[in-house]
Amino acid sequence: REPDPDDARAVRVALTEKGAKVTEEFYVETCRRVEALTEGLDGAERDTLAALLGRVVQDNDVPVVFMEVDASFAPHRS
């Protein structure tokens, strides 16, 4: 918990160093698993799947889970 610099009545909840590490590990493992799920698809099929899933997310106002794209995760293209 941290004080809110803009509102003395409020507090902000922040990840601890350990929590940030767990979050990063979760993100990396999730990306690895998603990549493995789509290994049988070629590049065009992956692009189509990404576009369709993106539309499902947008059409349903799904909340943002990952705020930044991990630069070390490079999608596999055939």
Side-chain angles (χ1 to χ4, degrees), residues 13 18 24 26 29 35 39 41 50 55 58 61-62 69 71-72:
V13 177
K18 181 179 177 182
E24 177 64 21
F26 173 80
E29 180 63 14
E35 182 69 16
E39 282 180 350
L41 303 177
R55 199 167 115 210
Q58 287 181 338
D61 297 320
V62 175
V69 175
S72 67

Side-chain angles (χ1 to χ4, degrees), residues 46-73:
R46 286 174 187 242
D47 290 343
T48 299
L49 179 60
L52 290 170
L53 291 173
R55 199 167 115 210
V56 167
V57 167
Q58 287 181 338
D59 290 352
N60 291 284
D61 297 320
V62 175
V64 174
V65 176
F66 297 115
M67 298 299 288
E68 298 177 11
V69 175
D70 182 350
S72 67
F73 174 71

